[in-house]
Structure formats: C-alpha cells, structure tokens
Amino acid sequence: FFLYATIYLPRPGLKMKGVVNLILVWTKLVTKSLLIHEIQSRRIISVVRDSDVPLFIPNTNSSSSIEDDEWKCKLNKTIVLSGPMSMNSNDKFFATGQLQLKAMEMMVDYINNDRCGVLVGQSRYSVRMRTFGDESSSDTTIKIGDALVKDSSENNFYLAGYSSSLTGPYARILQREDKVLIAGGAAAVSVFKDKANIYGTFPPTSKYLAQAIAGLAGVGAKSVASIWEDA
C-alpha cells in the first residue's frame, strides 16, 4: 500500500477512485499471491506465489483518471514453475536458498504485475511458482522430483534450489522424463553434462577462478591458493 501510494498519489489527474482501486488490488495481490500450506502426506512445506487478479495498465496518452474501462491486463492462462528449495531455518542451505527464492519471487511479481504476464501467440500467461521445502536433503529433493513429474499436468517448467549436490539427482530425474529445468543454484559441470534439458545461470565451477587467475598473473602473481566448499 505505502509503495503504491508513494508512486501514484502525486501523479496529476489521479482521482480517489483510482487510489482506492490501487489499494484493493494490492491487498488482494498480497493476500492471494502468498498461499502457504503443508502437504500432510509428505510433511513438506510448500509455497505458491502467483497473481490471480486483473491488473491495470494506465493509459499514458490520456490525462484522465483511471476508470474501470482502463483495466486492460487480463491474464487468462498460466505457466507453472515448480521446484524444491531449502525453506526451513534449520536447513543447511537456508540462508543462500532464501536469497535465491526471493529473487525468483521478484521475477514472478515483475512478470505478472509490471509486464502483464508473458505473451505467447495471442494469449497472456501469468506465472505461478510452486516451491517445496527440500530440507537441504538429497533424499527429499528426489522425492519432490518424483512427485512433480508424476503430476506433470500441473507443471510446465521446473526450477532447482541451491547447491549442486541437491540439484544433481533432481536434474537426472527431469532429464530422464524429458522435462526442462532451470538450475539457478548449481554450478558443478556434472549437473549439466550430457543433459540437453538442464540449463544453468552460474559459470561452471571449472571456470570460477579463470578470470581472477588471469588478472593476478597479469600483475605478477606466481601462485594462487583457493578454498572450496562441497555444496
């Protein structure tokens, strides 16, 4: 509410009706985009983030206020992204996983709220992200992967949490089932090798220090020591 009020209240021509609409949309968005529940059968905490309210795009060519007929953004289809993440404060990878999760949530919010979804052909798709707590455990991550591919009608694409050690077995499941995975928290070459459907966002571990070593050599360094964590 405060964010939207700060942005929109000073704009000329914005009547109180527009402000009220903004507040109602924001309230509904916050209430319905964060649906937290527990999957009792597996005791896995899950979070769903999406947008199921119509958003508006102000008519920038008009000085009039925001009226009902100016609500143009209609998201009538949905792309579902699903995957594991360390979500319990006791999980080994909780701190890093939460940073990754927040970045993914920002992506979902930006696509749905600022970009009016994803345009595919003549349809606009909202993005829904389903995240399941992996307990920083390979066994739990594998269970999540198996459950997701069995319920593939509910998922379009797949996301991975933090660490190569958790993503490796998860990636093997998705590659076997011919699913597309974005492994944003993995960097080990083994996660991606011979897996055409698995995509990453980090440089591979084999090249982590390539630029640093070249730069150090350029200023006369003769040797370099590095410390690695098996994650």
Side-chain angles (χ1 to χ4, degrees), residues 48-92:
V48 177
R49 192 177 190 96
D50 64 5
S51 173
D52 64 349
V53 296
L55 304 177
F56 66 87
I57 303 177
N59 185 350
T60 55
N61 296 322
S62 172
S63 60
S64 62
S65 63
I66 298 173
E67 302 293 344
D68 290 343
D69 59 359
E70 293 186 61
W71 289 66
K72 300 178 180 179
C73 182
K74 295 181 180 179
L75 305 173
N76 47 21
K77 297 186 179 181
T78 303
I79 295 172
V80 181
L81 312 175
S82 301
M85 187 66 71
S86 297
M87 298 173 65
N88 190 300
S89 59
N90 294 323
D91 293 344
K92 177 181 178 181

Side-chain angles (χ1 to χ4, degrees), residues 121-139:
Q122 300 300 314
S123 299
R124 284 198 173 274
Y125 290 70
S126 66
V127 175
R128 175 180 298 137
M129 185 173 69
R130 304 166 67 212
T131 308
F132 301 87
D134 60 23
E135 301 174 331
S136 294
S137 162
S138 294
D139 290 341

Side-chain angles (χ1 to χ4, degrees), residues 135-149:
E135 301 174 331
S136 294
S137 162
S138 294
D139 290 341
T140 304
T141 303
I142 290 171
K143 290 178 182 178
I144 293 170
D146 286 336
L148 290 177
V149 296

